[in-house]
Amino acid sequence: CRMTKISSMKLLARAGNDVPDADKTETNESLRLAIENLVSIIDPTDDSINKPLLPQSATPTKHGSIVHIIGTGLCPTLLNLPLSTLQILSQADVVLHDSLGLSYQDIRQIVPEHCEVICVGKRGDKKSWKQSDIDELLLQMATQPALQSSDANNEQQSPKGKSIVRLKGGDPFLFGRTRTEIDSLQSNNIPYSYTPGISSCIAGPHLGGIPLTDPSLDCQSFGVWSGTDAFGKSRGLMGDDADRGKNWQGLDVDVLVFLMIGRLDKLEALCRTISHGDGRDTQKWNRNTPCAVIQNAGGIKESGDSTLPVQRVWRSTLENLVADIKKEDETRTSVSPAVFVVGATASLDLLSQDSQSS
């Protein structure tokens, strides 16, 4: 049965979750109370928090649940999330989160103790949830009512609606596969809200010191592509080409940005595909065109009582990029998660403390 399959996957996703201790529970409760107090001061009428979206023809649902679709931007922490997102999380009954969004530890720090937290993330070349299963699990959570006490003695239980958070890294509408999730909610008259986030296609290059536009370099536009399409086809890889017939030289854009292109064989093939033309170095994209890879953009890791940056940036040309990446480790096969930038601005490093960009 499909529902049994979803339940099994859900249990596996929860395996290994931390068991909250008393001190953490008290601290987390204090955090949620502080958020509520701050919201009541800033917005006493509670009008600014996202309101549910429903087609005008929709009829109210008996379960009364609402789904909040929230983008958390790139490498988010609780500290850099909007207050509205913090409030929604502090009241959540269920959180379905991606692999590259807010960490499980951060989510647990703010959600109520009863909240069910499930990772449904997708990672390239690794076993991941199917989108259809995520759609069904989201619907399942929204249509199964939560229980609340009807009296002080907890002798009876009555159903209530649940607050379900669909937490996504970046922006949910940009390569976020949100369309099918919303279609599922709309077809079942389930209300939902949407909070945008800053996509990695913008934040990634910028955190690497690479502006996507620069008037002095005559870069006034940029385009964004996925390095792997919805069917797993790769851009440029021989025999697995999602680009057949694409004329990169004819594109009227100054900077190219690619997401989901961490595997080095895919990256090398894409570099060849972009620079392929009549062989002249005068063509728009050629072997000497500047390019860069930003890995783990903005990422940090815990190290004792401090944090260390894990972001890496490689700057090179279309011809030499992969070879330069492999110089320090010839066995390297991937730089995932990564953002790939092609164009004149890729040679810049505006965040460097040096007087000249590398």
Side-chain angles (χ1 to χ4, degrees), residues 12 31 50 57 71 131 138 157 170 173 178 194 201 214 218 231 247 266 277 316 323 355:
L12 287 173
L31 175 60
N50 288 338
S57 59
Q131 185 59 47
L138 186 63
Q157 299 283 317
F173 286 1
T178 307
Y194 164 68
C201 71
D214 187 272
D218 197 26
F231 304 100
N247 178 17
K266 293 182 178 182
S316 187
S355 59

Side-chain angles (χ1 to χ4, degrees), residues 196-246:
I198 300 176
S199 171
S200 60
C201 71
I202 295 175
H206 290 179
L207 286 170
I210 301 170
L212 294 181
T213 61
D214 187 272
S216 62
L217 294 176
D218 197 26
C219 292
Q220 304 286 359
S221 62
F222 65 92
V224 183
W225 287 264
S226 168
T228 305
D229 69 14
F231 304 100
K233 300 288 186 180
S234 305
R235 295 197 178 278
L237 195 60
M238 192 67 68
D240 190 18
D241 192 354
D243 278 341
R244 287 197 178 95
K246 193 170 196 66

Side-chain angles (χ1 to χ4, degrees), residues 132-149:
S132 58
D133 288 335
I134 298 175
D135 298 344
E136 186 165 340
L137 178 60
L138 186 63
L139 186 60
Q140 176 182 323
M141 290 295 178
T143 53
Q144 288 181 350
L147 294 177
Q148 64 178 353
S149 299

